[in-house]
Amino acid sequence: MPEIDLDAGWLDPLQGEFDQPYMQSLRAFLRSEKDNGKIIYPKGSEFFAALNSTPLNEVKVVILGQDPYHGPGQAHGLCFSVQEGITPPSSLVNIFKEISSDLNIPNDFPHGCLSSWARQGVLLLNSVLSVESHQAASHQGKGWETFTDRIIEVLSSEREGCVFLLWGSYAQKKGSVIDSTKHLVLKAPHPSPLSAYRGFLGCKHFSACDEYLKAHGQTPIDWANLSS
């Protein structure tokens, strides 16, 4: 694991996590993987990209993912997002379909990089922050989940008026600690092709999110804006 390079707003409540036994075990695991020549995505400097792209005091919306993409050039530390020039995966294609339908805008997103959402206050957080190349879910149960659980707890307790988008049973279980009296929690099936037609498509989460933000005096998210 690289040296801790976190936005100060996040580092303050999370600092103690880096000394915990689970984190020491995770460090050792990642070091062993690297020493054994394993290719890990995203690169180490991007493990905390979601936190560094969206400072704690700027978070308006939280989208919870599960694992980074495990194909070459895809993962860059933001859930559901891929780097420019990479074909958007099917789940992201369905997210774009729902935005287009919900907000009645053209479905002509130029690429799959969601960095502009992150800069607007959308925390794109995976539960697990690394994966071995071509080995889906290979870093589950190594400690990342404990760390990201703590991130959700910090958000729930220290912020008010955030919107949590929980897609699929995994995200909904992980988000069960969120204080729904302080935040808006929206749930739907996962946008993957296996489940999108069971209620993700048509969930209208994006308009509901923006209406809530406006009602709480915040600027809504420009979901169509994918500018670099």
Side-chain angles (χ1 to χ4, degrees), residues 25-125:
S25 176
L26 175 59
R27 284 176 181 270
F29 167 74
L30 291 170
R31 191 178 303 116
S32 174
E33 290 287 278
K34 184 176 180 181
D35 291 346
N36 287 322
K38 301 290 181 62
I39 297 173
I40 296 174
Y41 299 131
K43 57 187 178 183
S45 61
E46 293 177 333
F47 286 170
F48 304 124
L51 301 178
N52 288 329
S53 299
T54 313
L56 175 59
N57 65 353
E58 296 179 14
V59 175
K60 299 178 182 179
V61 182
V62 182
I63 298 178
L64 286 183
Q66 191 162 349
D67 293 272
Y69 297 122
H70 54 83
Q74 291 181 309
H76 63 119
L78 307 179
C79 75
F80 292 106
S81 179
V82 291
Q83 300 185 75
E84 290 191 42
I86 300 295
T87 301
S90 53
S91 290
L92 182 54
V93 169
N94 283 333
I95 290 171
F96 288 158
K97 281 183 183 177
E98 176 57 22
I99 291 173
S100 174
S101 171
D102 184 13
L103 304 181
N104 194 27
I105 59 175
N107 188 356
D108 56 3
F109 296 89
H111 52 74
C113 181
L114 308 180
S115 295
S116 63
W117 292 4
R119 291 193 298 271
Q120 293 181 68
V122 182
L123 181 67
L124 297 162
L125 181 67

Side-chain angles (χ1 to χ4, degrees), residues 170-225:
Y170 185 95
Q172 289 162 21
K173 181 178 179 182
K174 191 172 183 69
S176 62
V177 300
I178 300 163
D179 185 348
S180 58
T181 67
K182 295 170 59 181
H183 306 282
L184 177 63
V185 179
L186 299 175
K187 301 177 182 180
H190 195 276
S192 82
L194 298 176
S195 56
Y197 289 92
R198 295 204 296 264
F200 175 79
L201 295 174
C203 69
K204 299 190 180 300
H205 278 186
F206 300 96
S207 58
C209 173
D210 284 350
E211 288 167 9
Y212 179 87
L213 292 176
K214 286 188 285 187
H216 287 75
Q218 299 191 73
T219 304
I221 307 300
D222 183 356
W223 299 104
N225 177 9

